[in-house]
Amino acid sequence: MTGIRLVLVDDDPLVRAGLALMLGGAEDVEIVGEAADGSEVEELVDRTRPDVVLMDIRMPGVDGLTATERLRAREEAPQVVVLTTFHADEQVLRALRAGAAGFVLKDTPPAEILSAVRRVAAGDPVLSPTVTRQLMEHAAGSTLDTRRSGARSRMSGLNEREREVAVEVGRGRSNAEIAAGLFMSVATVKTHVSRILAKLGLNNRVQIALLAYDAGLLEEDGH
């Protein structure tokens, strides 16, 4: 694997120092920059061109949610992994909807944080279906009907095969698992996923899963 260029964003210098020590020791990871506030992130990203940004979600100035939204709205945006102290949190869910590829808890063992950075750099989300479902159920509440109507309208632009693939992505299936279940090649699955992302204006599989959930497709599928 080529070196992963990583930026650390956290308002606590001790946390940044710990992460730098923990992650910078890996042969395939290079810490190319650090920031103490979300307001510094875009300029830092422009200067250092990271592959992944490890982003604290709560900072006193510009928070990680706002910084994530700004980053992921850009062309050729780096992947973002959110750092948080809570498993189920509305801000985490908003960050995922904005395009973060996943989240890790601040007390996660070092090896798991490193694994998350590597997976995201390789294009894989770092959310299990169980955790994703927990987050979405946490935020369901009174806004579910509004979200469902909007999500179904967006999903109506998919053809039947793309809809089937979107459901499987929502169930947490890998490309190989989707290919086996729907009797198609892995290459064809990748093509469908790319078309789904383009049609729906999304930028990763986590967002497909969230939209499929909002549209009620996972419930219809019996999961």
Side-chain angles (χ1 to χ4, degrees):
M1 175 184 288
T2 57
I4 300 168
R5 297 174 62 80
L6 178 66
V7 158
L8 306 175
V9 184
D10 196 294
D11 63 307
D12 188 334
L14 291 178
V15 171
R16 293 200 309 275
L19 289 170
L21 181 64
M22 175 176 60
L23 300 174
E27 292 184 356
D28 58 338
V29 174
E30 178 186 3
I31 309 296
V32 295
E34 298 182 19
D37 187 79
S39 62
E40 306 168 17
V41 172
E42 289 188 274
E43 185 277 332
L44 181 59
V45 165
D46 286 339
R47 181 159 42 87
T48 62
R49 300 294 178 183
D51 302 301
V52 180
V53 176
L54 197 55
M55 180 92 71
D56 184 19
I57 204 165
R58 287 179 172 79
M59 291 177 284
V62 175
D63 64 21
L65 171 62
T66 301
T68 297
E69 290 174 336
R70 291 175 180 174
L71 272 187
R72 294 303 296 171
R74 296 157 52 114
E75 292 186 8
E76 299 183 0
Q79 296 294 335
V80 177
V81 178
V82 171
L83 276 171
T84 181
T85 53
F86 300 97
H87 284 87
D89 180 85
E90 176 65 25
Q91 284 190 303
V92 173
L93 186 58
R94 286 178 61 192
L96 296 175
R97 292 188 189 281
F103 75 94
V104 292
L105 299 178
K106 285 193 173 183
D107 60 358
T108 297
E112 292 183 23
I113 295 180
L114 179 58
S115 174
V117 169
R118 286 171 171 157
R119 287 175 58 190
V120 165
D124 297 323
V126 290
L127 281 179
S128 70
T130 300
V131 172
T132 305
R133 188 160 49 250
Q134 178 187 9
L135 275 167
M136 292 186 290
E137 288 173 351
H138 168 76
S142 60
T143 62
L144 180 58
D145 289 343
T146 301
R147 290 204 319 272
R148 176 150 300 179
S149 176
R152 286 187 169 178
S153 176
R154 293 179 69 185
M155 296 292 282
S156 66
L158 302 181
N159 62 39
E160 183 177 355
R161 206 54 164 164
E162 291 164 346
R163 181 186 175 100
E164 290 175 341
V165 171
V167 169
E168 293 302 302
V169 169
R171 292 171 62 187
R173 300 287 193 256
S174 67
N175 286 342
E177 290 170 334
I178 295 172
L182 296 181
F183 306 103
M184 61 177 71
S185 69
V186 171
T188 300
V189 173
K190 290 180 179 179
T191 298
H192 282 309
V193 170
S194 296
R195 286 176 179 169
I196 292 167
L197 291 171
K199 283 186 176 183
L200 299 180
L202 305 176
N203 55 42
N204 61 35
R205 296 168 75 98
V206 173
Q207 289 183 317
I208 295 176
L210 292 171
L211 194 63
Y213 176 88
D214 284 347
L217 299 184
L218 307 188
E219 296 171 15
E220 294 170 5
D221 197 52
H223 292 79

